[in-house]
Amino acid sequence: MEVKLLTLENLDDSYEIILDAKRLLSKLSLQWQQGYPYKETIKKDIEDNNLYGCFDNGKLIGIVALVLGNNPDYEFIEGKWEIPTGKDDATIHRIAVKDGYHGKNIGDLLMKSMIEEAKKKGVKSIKADTHITNKAMQKLCLNAGMEYKGIIYLVRKEVDNSRLAYEIVL
């Protein structure tokens, strides 16, 4: 398996993986059930060189965004960051695995790859968040060595905008 930066050629396949994840999450929570992430979100991730994909024999089977810099959602936390949010941060967003590939540690591979990529870029801290009902993402964060830091509130309007926040210092 190979993890690499995606291009606009991968947009449709990437968004199909997001739709797979939305269907799976719909059984568990309201996360990703109010439109976001949109196809335009994924396109911008690609255009900004933030979206990576996991390929198995040339087939895209998982995606993840690594976004560098300050995340406005993380400026207030009920808890405490090890390293305050800022320009030396990266955030892991929009991790999703194609239907049929769950339980094969694709998410763990994507998380590990993003930590290595962040180190190469000189990042001091990686942060991530997830809904309280998203046990799979919570497990991915903990498996990657991230620690639970508290609760953040998404700036974007959602029915339930509270999220569990995680961080790893590099």
Side-chain angles (χ1 to χ4, degrees):
M1 287 195 218
E2 176 186 25
V3 175
K4 63 182 182 179
L5 202 57
L6 296 179
T7 68
L8 286 174
E9 287 180 8
N10 307 113
L11 177 60
D12 289 339
D13 290 340
S14 297
Y15 193 62
E16 271 304 313
I17 292 172
I18 289 292
L19 294 176
D20 286 348
K22 284 183 177 191
R23 282 188 291 274
L24 181 64
L25 284 170
S26 73
K27 300 171 188 169
L28 307 169
S29 78
L30 292 175
Q31 187 176 7
W32 288 11
Q33 300 307 301
Q34 298 161 56
Y36 173 91
Y38 305 97
K39 191 170 189 175
E40 294 79 25
T41 310
I42 304 307
K43 183 178 182 200
K44 183 168 177 9
D45 281 338
I46 292 171
E47 291 171 342
D48 292 345
N49 292 315
N50 293 336
L51 196 66
Y52 294 79
C54 179
F55 290 84
D56 184 21
N57 294 318
K59 181 178 183 175
L60 183 62
I61 60 170
I63 63 169
V64 62
L66 181 70
V67 181
L68 302 180
N70 186 45
N71 183 331
D73 290 327
Y74 295 173
E75 290 177 10
F76 172 77
I77 184 171
E78 289 177 359
K80 187 173 193 292
W81 298 116
E82 284 296 315
I83 296 179
T85 189
K87 63 179 178 57
D88 295 325
D89 275 355
T91 306
I92 291 177
H93 286 298
R94 296 174 284 286
I95 188 165
V97 174
K98 186 167 186 57
D99 280 351
Y101 289 88
H102 296 109
K104 298 178 189 257
N105 299 319
I106 306 303
D108 290 321
L109 174 62
L110 288 167
M111 292 290 279
K112 180 181 175 188
S113 297
M114 292 307 96
I115 290 169
E116 291 307 311
E117 188 65 28
K119 285 178 183 177
K120 289 181 203 171
K121 295 178 184 287
V123 168
K124 294 180 181 170
S125 165
I126 300 176
K127 295 174 172 64
D129 68 83
T130 193
H131 195 274
I132 193 167
T133 60
N134 191 338
K135 302 298 184 196
M137 183 62 183
Q138 293 168 40
K139 184 177 176 186
L140 283 177
C141 288
L142 295 173
N143 285 351
M146 301 182 99
E147 295 179 7
Y148 172 74
K149 294 298 177 180
I151 297 175
I152 60 99
Y153 296 89
L154 301 176
V155 174
R156 129 182 122 251
K157 298 293 182 208
E158 292 206 2
V159 171
D160 179 3
N161 69 338
S162 66
R163 298 290 186 267
L164 304 179
Y166 294 84
E167 178 183 31
I168 187 171
V169 175
L170 305 179

